[in-house]
Amino acid sequence: LPPPPPGPLSFSGTKLVDDPAHPWRPLRNGDLRGPCPGLNTLASHGYLPRDGVASPAQFITAVQEGFNMDNPTARVATYLTHLVDGNLVTDLLSIGAKTRRTGPDPPPPAIVGGMNNHGTFEGDASLSRGDAFDGDNHNFNQTLWDQLVDYSNQYGGGFYNLTVAGELRWQRTQQSIATNPEFDFRGLRHFTVVGQASFPAGLFTDGRKTGADKHQLDLVSGLSFFKHMRFPAGFFRASEPTGGVGSDVIFGAHPVLPGRNVGGVNNYVVDTSLGGFGDFCKFYTEFVNITIKGLYPNPTGVLRRNLNLNLGFVYDALAPRLGANCPQVFPYGTN
Ligand code: HEM
Ligand code: MG
């Protein structure tokens, strides 16, 4: 039985996390890494299993301990990802490529593709990774990093911060509209891009920074996380439990409605049918009824039981953002 989600940290202040118990180590043959620089770093320091395969409870524990990500954000990110990319029977999820290490697959159309799988949790217009359409959606991309540096110099005085995030998010969106005929910015992706643009400011910044320095990420540290999957030497985690700090600022800088390119590049058509940032209830409801039901049309036995458990974990984690008029949906019944 998948265990219930771990609770918040008992000590939730800043502390040294680049500590002797968690040394950085280079990749061994077969170790998996993927599109998330936060999880890559945690695996390379042993907060997650170094091979890159872990259970949802391990992800929640690791992101809280290693970065001080707040408990609701950790639960939302983890269970949303596990439901689309993980093996619900074995309770294992890869931070990178699909792997036999997550166990035997349930029947198609289930994918169990790990976090590299495009179009489930991973999506277009990432800051440091290319679009799947261009051939690589998970490795560090130097050209995109150079652009992040340019934007940090232009809008952040040499630091990545929320102002930079707002401008760079807009730029990456425009680039994908102009170059990716399959650009898809609907539903889940419309919501995750905003949080993921804020994480470098809120979670990669050393927790000892205060006042005007807080949430200003220097680019040497940034490259350490994004490319080398490594804490800057002597790194301290965030000073309080932190999630998508400043998401409203980032979204508000250049609000873009959910949508996708239809029939080719430069034809972005608004499509709010799957919800998005600012319409969490629709996003949640369609995620369950369309996305999950699409992957798992007729589950039985342990698979069905674990789907229901994980769907419950997602609803509980999202509940504070959903409001009072967004009931849980039960595509597989309630027992
Ligand atoms: C992006 C998963 C926690 C920082 C991503 C992506 C995935 C992912 C699948 C790729 C999306 C894409 O760009 O297409 C998760 C899961 C987490 C988690 C399941 C579990 C709680 C964290 C933490 C941090 C973080 C704790 C920071 C400390 C980022 C950043 C990106 C990202 C900065 C954007 C990368 C880019 O746009 O190039 N995450 N993540 N994530 N994640 Fe995580
Ligand atoms: Mg991506």
Side-chain angles (χ1 to χ4, degrees), residues 7 18 24 34-35 98 127 143 151 196 256 269 300:
D18 182 32
W24 182 85
K98 183 175 178 66
L127 304 180
T143 307
Y151 270 67
Q196 289 164 1
V256 178
V269 178
T300 58

Side-chain angles (χ1 to χ4, degrees), residues 173-191:
T173 306
Q174 298 311 306
Q175 284 175 320
S176 285
I177 290 174
T179 61
N180 178 355
E182 294 166 9
F183 177 54
D184 193 339
F185 212 52
R186 292 175 298 164
L188 175 75
R189 188 59 184 151
H190 188 257
F191 152 68

Side-chain angles (χ1 to χ4, degrees), residues 73-85:
T73 305
R75 285 152 55 208
V76 169
T78 298
Y79 291 112
L80 285 174
T81 309
H82 185 52
L83 274 160
V84 291
D85 289 338

Side-chain angles (χ1 to χ4, degrees), residues 103-188:
D105 281 350
I111 302 171
V112 194
M115 294 189 203
N116 284 4
N117 189 68
H118 173 65
T120 43
F121 198 85
E122 189 285 323
D124 292 327
S126 300
L127 304 180
S128 70
R129 270 68 174 163
D131 285 5
F133 176 79
D134 295 314
D136 182 354
N137 68 351
H138 55 276
N139 286 299
F140 174 80
N141 180 309
Q142 185 67 48
T143 307
L144 291 176
W145 176 257
D146 292 344
Q147 176 169 262
L148 186 151
V149 170
D150 284 349
Y151 270 67
S152 300
N153 287 331
Q154 195 177 337
Y155 295 100
F159 293 83
Y160 182 95
N161 58 27
L162 296 179
T163 307
V164 175
E167 298 307 317
L168 185 61
R169 260 276 28 95
W170 169 245
Q171 163 72 354
R172 292 291 300 124
T173 306
Q174 298 311 306
Q175 284 175 320
S176 285
I177 290 174
T179 61
N180 178 355
E182 294 166 9
F183 177 54
D184 193 339
F185 212 52
R186 292 175 298 164
L188 175 75

